[in-house]
Amino acid sequence: MADTTTVPPPPPPPSTSTPPAAFRLPTFDEARKYLIDSQIWRSVFRGGVWKDTPRDRSAHIIGNVWLHLHPVRIRPRALEWTYTWGLGGISFALFLILTVTGVLLMFYYRPTVGLAYRDMKDLEYAVTLGKLMRNMHRWGAQAMVVMVIAHMASVFLRGGYKKPREFNWGVGVLLLTLTLFLSFTGYLLPWDQLAIWAVTVGTNMAGATPMLGNEGPFSSLLGMRINNDVRFILLGGTTVGENTLLRFYVMHCVAVPLIVGALLILHFWRIRKDSFSAAPRDPNEQKLEVWPHLVVREYIAAAGCLLFIMLWSVLMNAPLEVEANPNVTPNPSKAPWYFVGLQELLVYFDPWIAGVALPNLIIVGLMAIPYIDTNAKGVGYYDWKGRRFANVMFMLGIVMWFILIFIGYYCRGPNYAWFWPWESWLIQKPAPPPTWSVFGPKGMAVLPIWLGVPVLGILGAAAMVLPKLIEKEIPERRSTLAFAGAVAAISVVAHFAFGMEWMQGVWLVFFATLYYYFGFLLPQMYIRSLDWIRYLVTMFLVVSTMGVLLKMGARLCFNIKYVLTVPAVSLNI
Amino acid sequence: MNRKLFYALNALLLITFVAAFALDFSAEWRTWQRQYFDRMAAHFDSEAREATDPAQAASFERQAKAARRESLMVRQLIARDLGRIDRCVTCHVGMDEFANPSLRTPFKEHPFAGHPDVEGLGKAHSFQKYGCSVCHAGQGLATTVDAAHGKVHHWEKPLLDGKLIQASCARCHQNTEGLKGAETVAMGKKLFETHGCKGCHAIRGDGGAVSVDLGRIADKPLEQIAGYNFSLIKKNGAPLPREDWALKEWIRAHLTQRPADFIPNDPFAKYNKEPIAPSGMPNFSEELPEGGAEAITAYLMSMTDEPIPMRFGVLTAAKSEPKFSDPVEHGKQVYRKYGCAGCHGLEAKAGRANFNALGPGQENPETDMDKGREPTLPDTVGTFTRDELRHKIQTGVSGANIVKFNPNGPTPPLYMPAWKEKIKGEELEDLISYLLSIKKKEEAW
């Protein structure tokens, strides 16, 4: 029998585990990968370790809630600074700066008559960085109004409102109005003399609203009194007082920002949906990735904007006047600078026109522009020659707006008399010359009302239709010079025959030529081929603008106070 | 390029933010507070060195150490009853009971000095209850030197310096006569009555109605004073610099200058439909005693409507009027009491100026309107019988009834009120007796 030889024990299996390594610190990349691949990190930031590939760059845009409004790729033309000057983005950046500084200010400011002014002083003198926050908020607000107007002008001049972007332009006009309203409601909150009287001037215009204001035309129709009209709703009382302060605070901090936020969402959504602005395509153009090209430019614009506001706020302190006193009216009392142009118009027009009709006409007119402008040229690029009428009329409006602001801000002193900007307000000025009215009741005007209504109606109608009816080509420069020369000749004759002053002649030539050029010649050259509806709407806006200029000329030249006055219904034009 | 901009902008933002913090933390008040505690520490150190008793020396050293360890912060007195928060003690640390319980400091110069008269004034007016600005005026909420002292644009109640601070005493102390420390304002009140100011200017209804009631004059906003007229004010002969325009200067100028020189007027109707006569207020600059203008200014600066709770008031019984046995002496007192001196002169010596009324030495209607005068009583009373004089005083002379020197010129600004309701009975009779006693003796033929 074979001996069961002991089977040699199986050789030990080859060792599979390495001997325990000596402990060493992970490298930076290993640590980073460990962190980023961890469950916690992955649950917050999806995407893993960043590799600079097109996949990761596009995932970054699509996968991030703040960035995903952007497309992944963008036309190189849209990246140039000179394309939009970043104005829309800067306006939004300012809105964010104002929101953040505003919330910080809300920790200290109480909107009651007894405490508002004191809290402003506390912010300046006792709160760490309180002065900086308040300055940033105030200067940011001024900057935002300027930037929003500049953004509107920039979009207009590049035709970014034309079909199919009309609605977004309208939303933008609403945002402009709400920006001005935000600035206006915020203006009251410091509760100093500047605040209470600027808001008094502004809200008194509401009292002049036709039919809904107790001092406007036709106010008796709806039984409007000082304590139930639209101004009363705005103020929460019959004067600017504690109710107004609280009301304006809520509107400024909550109600209007919410509406603006909603409209901004709509505004940005539409921009994205309409592929930004449709400049003509270059056949060789290659799209660039938004990350990083667009995003870094947006960051630079926002950071530059923030830096500008911060430096301005560190270097220049926002003023705070004496505490609001309803019994002491400063002389002169001026509205905030962006409304002081309308206040200047109050020299020439009644409040219902200067404060209600004209601002509403401006807003409605701006919103109507995309629908009356059928010229397909200049979308996404400047076209000075191809869009002459649109550019010239728009810039006329902008220039008028800012000239009126300049005059109202720098050239009006005590009693709203004319002071050159270098003149001291301490000198005495003579009273203005007496005025007269053209059409009105006996004793108040030279000619009767029953004559005035048809005459003005015929003149208005003629101004509206004449450019369309005259078919022949009129040489632009020659006819304008000839017209100006003719009016000048008439003025010279009138000087010697009727004793008209030379200055009156200057005003006459100036305003009459303005009317001829903008109110007759340009429409005749460019829009007489429009269909009747668009033509009439456009001419209505043009004639209204010219009406403002002509009335100013009538006052400056002939001391005419009202062209038509019907005191029975508080209607004065 | 964008990369460079990115880094540069971020760096600049960080620098600006840090700079803003740094500016905040290098505020003026920190320097003053730090200096105060350093000086106190040095003072205690030297006291410790000179102390003979070791326990005392140790105590001084402890106090020095505590002073060096004090943290810098905005300090304030909250006078709850007065609705004021005063941050003056942020720089004037020696006057803060929490930082300096003894309220005394060894220093003489501001802001390290302690408040004067802690024993008397300080005890009677606890700083915790009163704060600072209710007496000193100024801007209690501010923490920079100029702003806190109210010497800035848009703060209309700057620090009441010198004797003017006594104006605040008169706001609570109904009777300042005999009140220690309120001698100037008491003199001001007396001068206001003796020189006839009360005849034209009532104080809350007590006095004449010819000119404005001065009962709230210290609250007059500077907005209501035309800049053109303020620029005509002179102090010590020189025009007042713009940064010194304050209400107290406007009031004082009424007493140190000829008022018609700076109060708004338009005697030749250059800017208004009707001519407006220059102010009828006489020129008191020669008449008042030394320090009189300052005293009257202090008295008028107490005329404010700023609310102070009733319990802060020190009310005294009204002094009973002195009794006179001699009717002429009584009449003299009546003359003084109702401010007749305002128009008819101190002790009825000479009538005061009244623009475009009749007066001595008038020849040219254009240039001599300012020579018009009120009647000089010693000259005129002799022409009245007792009954006529009584009637005259009772009915007065309205502005329309004053004969104009230049018929095209303005109505004279000063008229005689009807005293029927105010001067009656024995007062009226004794007044007439006094007036008849001062008539100029006619020369014997």
Side-chain angles (χ1 to χ4, degrees), chain A residues 118 121-122 125-126 128-129 132 297 299-300 303-304 306-307 310 314 320-322 328-331 426 428-429, chain B residues 2 5-6 9-10 12-13 16-17 20-21 23-24 83 85 87 139 141-143 147 154 221 223 227-228 271:
Chain A
R118 171 195 288 192
K121 292 285 181 184
D122 280 350
Y125 292 117
T128 304
L129 292 186
L132 180 73
R297 281 168 173 77
Y299 182 90
I300 288 172
L306 178 61
L307 182 66
M310 274 184 90
V314 168
L320 189 66
E321 296 196 358
V322 188
V328 179
T329 311
N331 184 3
L426 297 184
Q428 297 185 308
K429 289 273 177 179
Chain B
N2 283 334
L5 263 180
F6 178 81
L9 281 173
N10 282 342
L12 282 171
L13 272 173
T16 313
F17 192 61
F21 255 109
L23 280 171
D24 214 72
I85 296 179
R87 301 192 172 119
Q139 191 177 181
L141 288 167
T143 50
H154 300 310
E223 180 67 47
Y228 169 73
Y271 305 102

Side-chain angles (χ1 to χ4, degrees), chain A residues 70-84 158 165 271-272 274-295 297 379-381:
Chain A
H70 293 96
V72 170
R73 308 172 85 82
I74 192 168
R75 295 175 58 191
R77 190 202 189 97
L79 288 176
E80 282 163 36
W81 287 111
T82 54
Y83 189 53
T84 61
R158 276 173 300 104
R165 297 177 179 82
I271 293 169
R272 177 67 205 284
D274 294 337
S275 312
F276 207 51
S277 41
R281 282 191 176 277
D282 179 5
N284 296 327
E285 74 175 58
Q286 283 273 49
K287 281 195 178 179
L288 292 169
E289 272 152 339
V290 165
W291 183 278
H293 293 105
L294 180 63
V295 173
R297 281 168 173 77
V379 179
Y381 60 96

Side-chain angles (χ1 to χ4, degrees), chain A residues 70 97 124 188 265 270 367 392 406:
Chain A
H70 293 96
I97 293 174
E124 179 170 357
L188 180 66
I265 291 173
R270 272 300 177 105
M367 289 211 253
V392 167
F406 180 85

